[in-house]
Amino acid sequence: MAARRAVSTAVDVVALHVSPVHAYEGRPGDGPRPDPGPVSRDQVAVRAGLGLVGDRYFNHPAHRLAAVTVFAAEALEHVAGRLGLAGAPDPLVVRRNVVLRGFDVDGLARRAVFSLDSGDGPVRFEVHRPANPCAWMDAVIAPGAFKALRGRGGKRCVPLDDGVLRLGPATLVVR
């Protein structure tokens, strides 16, 4: 059996989010909880097997294989087009940790290993399951967003390396 060739893609890291608490709890009709502080970051520290330093899922036993969520910005453009919105929603509303432009994140298979290098060296991640959207999307984006994001919610991953991710140009390699 031949070894699979690594595929390298130039991407942009357009958003990085670290949130110490869950903003979407309770009923969507009641609105999201206010964030305790800025959750958007210019850079994030990644720890192997644990997640993103400062995030609510960091070293959380129930989320060890799903500590980091990766999402494609193009999914928000799809939602905007499908719902007739004036522009793509802010990536913060989907509450995903790493938002990329230029790669089909949802096309990654379970157990796929990919790396992201935004200038400080590659950080590998293993995909474990889809990051399915929730009904909150209808409340924070627009009615119909939940349905429009089905199959486009990103992936839940476990980091395999320590490292740093930064906003801006990056290289994504699928092994």
Side-chain angles (χ1 to χ4, degrees):
M1 181 186 222
R4 209 186 292 189
R5 193 177 82 196
V7 177
S8 178
T9 304
V11 298
D12 282 310
V13 179
V14 298
L16 295 166
H17 303 127
V18 174
S19 181
V21 298
H22 230 310
Y24 301 152
E25 288 185 328
R27 295 179 205 169
D30 296 336
R33 159 194 302 186
D35 279 319
V39 297
S40 294
R41 303 280 192 260
D42 292 334
Q43 68 179 36
V44 294
V46 182
R47 296 292 173 258
L50 301 175
L52 303 183
V53 175
D55 192 68
R56 66 193 175 279
Y57 294 127
F58 182 81
N59 197 25
H60 192 281
H63 292 277
R64 285 263 166 72
L65 297 180
V68 177
T69 53
V70 182
F71 182 79
E74 291 84 355
L76 293 172
E77 294 160 3
H78 166 80
V79 169
R82 185 156 171 198
L83 301 180
L85 304 177
D90 183 326
L92 178 60
V93 299
V94 292
R95 308 298 288 188
R96 301 301 189 237
N97 299 119
V98 180
V99 182
L100 304 175
R101 177 174 304 289
F103 185 78
D104 178 16
V105 172
D106 294 296
L108 288 166
R110 187 174 194 279
R111 299 291 220 178
V113 174
F114 68 94
S115 66
L116 272 173
D117 186 345
S118 58
D120 292 285
V123 179
R124 292 176 306 134
F125 295 88
E126 183 177 60
V127 175
H128 280 275
R129 61 186 168 93
N132 295 318
C134 66
W136 273 95
M137 297 301 98
D138 285 353
V140 297
I141 296 175
F146 171 55
K147 187 174 181 179
L149 278 168
R150 285 189 189 148
R152 292 177 171 85
K155 295 292 184 169
R156 294 188 177 277
C157 306
V158 61
L160 301 177
D161 302 309
D162 289 351
V164 173
L165 295 178
R166 299 178 188 279
L167 291 178
T171 302
L172 185 145
V173 177
V174 178
R175 311 228 181 271

